[in-house]
Amino acid sequence: MHNTITKYNYFKRLTLTSLTASLLLLQACDKFEYSPYEIRLRDNERELNQKNINRILEQNIAEDATITFALISDTQGYYKDTETIVTHLNNLDGVQFVLHNGDITDFGLLKEFRLINERLGKLNAPLVTVIGNHDAVSNGMQLYKEMYGPYNFSFVAGHSKFIFINTNYWEFNGAALDLNWLESELSDRDAYKQVFVLSHIPPTSPAFGEANAARYRELMNKYKVSMSIHGHNHSFETYQLEDGGTKYMNVGEADDQEFILMRVNNENVSFERISTKGES
């Protein structure tokens, strides 16, 4: 009887030891997921915005050049449509960078960030993103910051300045929309031929915050912003909120099977809607 118990304990310890070793091996290989809410990024998944901004700066775009860039938005779960858009963009000549107007993911989970990054990471051109409201749920706020970087930032390419601002007022409990920071970024407006402000939620949405929307519109007009560009509404639209004021654009979702191609020079801003329907 004593020997039977001893053998049982031995095999029990052996089984537990083997299971523990297997779990540690899976963890080391980054194949074991403890929780969908975990944050465990690889080195090549960190600070993606700054890495891609550096790639844009390395192009040394001349101040008198025409800049060609693409706009996409709301890829949240539309993996096949995103793949098709990426393929189409890679087959176009002259696209210098791609800008994503938020809602990269649907539920702000690591698996989603990783799945969409695997697809968007195949773009030949550098990709720069802004945080969307769906990216800010669960623990997406921290994930976005670690994977892509700060919520508010800017960069300059040739004659144009691009300003990205977090407008997810509800998800950040009213703490989003640092309009003092935005005005500081706009204060050197005269140094650039064109200035673009990009965010996810447009000022026409209640989720922007009424007081924020009023001041935002004032800043756009005061500093003669070339275009204020957004996502969120899941449909394409261009409009002006005041006669002679700043022009606004809402970029459609990836499920619309299209993207926007912008061409910008010292004097003009033009765009076209490029359909990917029927492509695979």
Side-chain angles (χ1 to χ4, degrees), residues 221 225-229 239-241 245-249 269:
N221 294 330
V225 170
S226 306
M227 187 174 286
S228 180
I229 305 172
Y239 51 98
Q240 286 178 286
L241 298 177
T246 289
K247 295 179 180 179
Y248 292 78
M249 176 186 289
V269 175

Side-chain angles (χ1 to χ4, degrees), residues 73-277:
S73 189
D74 297 84
T75 51
Q76 52 192 119
Y78 301 123
Y79 299 116
K80 185 62 177 178
D81 294 319
T82 299
E83 289 174 357
T84 302
I85 289 172
V86 167
T87 299
H88 193 119
L89 280 166
N90 286 344
N91 288 329
L92 288 180
D93 292 329
V95 178
Q96 290 154 298
F97 49 89
V98 180
L99 306 181
H100 192 307
N101 274 89
D103 274 4
I104 305 162
T105 67
D106 207 7
F107 302 104
L109 300 176
L110 173 60
K111 187 171 185 179
E112 290 182 289
F113 274 102
R114 184 161 281 161
L115 284 170
I116 200 66
N117 180 54
E118 288 172 356
R119 288 152 176 81
L120 293 174
K122 294 178 181 179
L123 281 165
N124 293 335
L127 171 76
V128 183
T129 74
V130 70
I131 187 170
N133 62 306
H134 281 262
D135 304 320
V137 299
S138 304
N139 59 345
M141 293 181 190
Q142 184 181 350
L143 261 169
Y144 180 91
K145 184 170 281 189
E146 292 194 24
M147 179 172 273
Y148 290 101
Y151 305 134
N152 301 328
F153 62 96
S154 67
F155 72 88
V156 174
H159 49 65
S160 294
K161 184 173 186 178
F162 298 83
I163 303 170
F164 298 73
I165 183 169
N166 173 19
T167 56
N168 301 296
Y169 181 71
W170 287 348
E171 284 69 25
F172 282 77
N173 296 319
L177 271 82
D178 188 343
L179 296 177
N180 290 332
W181 173 86
L182 177 59
E183 183 158 23
S184 176
E185 286 289 317
L186 290 169
S187 63
D188 61 354
R189 169 67 179 92
D190 291 341
Y192 308 101
K193 296 296 184 180
Q194 309 287 357
V195 171
F196 301 90
V197 178
L198 296 95
S199 75
H200 181 63
I201 296 176
T204 52
S205 169
F208 198 93
E210 186 176 351
N212 291 326
R215 186 178 175 201
Y216 184 90
R217 291 164 61 169
E218 290 174 0
L219 292 175
M220 295 301 100
N221 294 330
K222 175 181 177 181
Y223 291 98
K224 297 180 173 58
V225 170
S226 306
M227 187 174 286
S228 180
I229 305 172
H230 312 273
H232 188 61
N233 287 357
H234 291 243
S235 60
F236 173 82
E237 185 180 11
T238 58
Y239 51 98
Q240 286 178 286
L241 298 177
E242 292 85 18
D243 289 341
T246 289
K247 295 179 180 179
Y248 292 78
M249 176 186 289
N250 296 339
V251 180
E253 63 183 0
D255 191 43
D256 290 341
Q257 300 179 53
E258 70 171 36
F259 61 89
I260 308 301
L261 193 64
M262 305 281 293
R263 292 185 177 88
V264 181
N265 59 34
N266 286 333
E267 304 296 332
N268 299 303
V269 175
S270 63
F271 68 87
E272 59 180 311
R273 299 167 68 184
I274 306 294
S275 175
T276 62
K277 290 181 180 179

Side-chain angles (χ1 to χ4, degrees), residues 54-73:
N54 291 342
R55 290 176 60 198
I56 295 171
L57 298 180
E58 288 169 2
Q59 296 179 34
N60 293 315
I61 299 172
E63 292 191 5
D64 60 350
T66 295
I67 303 174
T68 302
F69 60 95
L71 298 169
I72 61 175
S73 189

